[in-house]
Amino acid sequence: MKVIIIGSGIAGLTAGAYLAQAGNDVTLYEQFGKMGGVTGEIAKDGYTWNQGQLIVEGFGPGEQVGNILEDLSLTNRLKITRGDRVYSFPDYQIEKPEQYGGPKWRINALKKLFPEDAKGLDRYYRDYIRFMELMTLSKRSERAEGVSSLFLKLWMYLKLLPFLPRLKWNAEKIADSYFSSKKLKAGFFSILADFVVHPSEFQGLGVFMVNPEPAYDCRVPLEVSNIGRHPSSHYILGGCGSLIKILVDKIEKAGGR
């Protein structure tokens, strides 16, 4: 089959790689001089700048992008490494301690800084674990079939029940339900600058997903319970442009253009 893909962003390249691997005649069209869209690179005078994210999630084994890389036989061609996120504000800083303090060290550190919100932080972390379990079941159900798929979706629905009243809340309202300190809320909101979005415009339950605890300390285990798992956070060695290059190479070697 002859396939034409308009746009060589990460979605177009991924679709092109799958289709070319399946034996289709693939051609991609791009209006700019380089492939990759907003995940590509800008090069000038011997220097290269990445336009994609610095830290990415879902690239680990069994995760969304990890599954795609495995499907396309690209797992070993993309070099990734775990890293740690540091938040530095005028009034406080969150940086991993030299001695590992367990999976809740960040929450405990925040409780010392904001004792008035200690109970709210405990409630937040409890809901955070539940949400990670919900997301894990959701990811597992995507690849399950038959009875297994039905069982996982039922289990997922039961995990979702406590969150149903908050489904339409925005991030601002979610944070208000846990914390009183504006400085503390800023710690959970600052990552939203990457999305160029105000907390009042961001999906409330998404606050859990953009604040994964292992992102602050790669020593935090990815398993949160017997059914739950954090998304892993990685840096791509060579930047997001490395991902673009291996997808382009995959398409070209399969006869695509």
Side-chain angles (χ1 to χ4, degrees), residues 2-249:
K2 184 174 179 60
V3 178
I4 291 175
I5 297 174
I6 309 297
S8 70
I10 192 66
L13 288 171
T14 303
Y18 269 104
L19 290 163
Q21 179 173 266
N24 296 287
D25 180 9
V26 176
T27 302
L28 285 95
Y29 288 88
E30 171 59 53
Q31 64 176 324
F32 297 111
K34 285 185 173 288
M35 309 284 271
V38 296
T39 318
E41 295 177 333
I42 298 174
K44 186 177 181 180
D45 299 332
Y47 294 94
T48 302
W49 292 266
N50 263 255
Q51 300 181 97
Q53 289 178 296
L54 295 177
I55 187 168
V56 292
E57 71 172 50
F59 279 67
E63 297 179 341
Q64 300 101 311
V65 184
N67 289 332
I68 291 171
L69 294 172
E70 183 179 353
D71 290 345
L72 296 173
S73 301
L74 296 175
T75 303
N76 295 328
R77 293 196 55 194
L78 189 72
K79 306 303 179 184
I80 57 177
T81 184
R82 294 281 299 277
D84 304 309
R85 184 190 296 174
V86 176
Y87 277 168
S88 184
F89 297 96
D91 301 289
Y92 70 98
Q93 181 165 301
I94 298 296
E95 185 175 11
K96 79 173 186 180
E98 289 187 15
Q99 185 174 355
Y100 179 55
K104 288 185 66 177
W105 73 259
R106 186 180 77 101
I107 298 299
N108 291 331
L110 289 171
K111 287 166 70 173
K112 290 180 180 179
L113 288 168
F114 304 96
E116 70 277 16
D117 280 321
K119 290 184 179 179
L121 282 160
D122 283 335
R123 287 191 294 108
Y124 166 85
Y125 190 78
R126 188 166 55 248
D127 284 346
Y128 168 83
I129 297 297
R130 290 171 179 163
F131 195 80
M132 290 299 142
E133 291 176 338
L134 171 62
M135 291 295 97
T136 302
L137 292 171
S138 174
K139 291 169 187 174
R140 287 171 57 188
S141 70
E142 289 175 359
R143 294 209 159 201
E145 298 178 353
V147 177
S148 295
S149 175
L150 183 62
F151 173 75
L152 287 170
K153 288 176 180 177
L154 178 60
W155 198 355
M156 185 173 63
Y157 179 74
L158 293 174
K159 284 287 179 182
L160 178 64
L161 284 176
F163 296 107
L164 284 178
R166 293 175 277 177
L167 277 183
K168 295 184 178 181
W169 287 13
N170 59 37
E172 194 170 40
K173 189 171 182 180
I174 282 282
D176 287 343
S177 72
Y178 292 116
F179 317 126
S180 59
S181 169
K182 290 183 178 179
K183 294 179 182 179
L184 178 56
K185 293 174 190 177
F188 289 88
F189 286 158
S190 59
I191 193 66
L192 298 185
D194 281 5
F195 301 95
V196 198
V197 64
H198 190 275
S200 65
E201 301 168 337
F202 191 76
Q203 216 288 328
L205 297 179
V207 171
F208 300 120
M209 291 302 294
V210 296
N211 285 281
E213 295 302 319
Y216 298 91
D217 189 340
C218 60
R219 297 170 296 186
V220 174
L222 293 180
E223 291 73 22
V224 300
S225 68
N226 60 336
I227 62 168
R229 181 179 170 88
H230 289 113
S232 63
S233 298
H234 290 90
Y235 293 95
I236 300 176
L237 299 183
C240 284
S242 300
L243 177 60
I244 300 304
K245 289 171 185 174
I246 64 170
L247 287 170
V248 169
D249 186 59

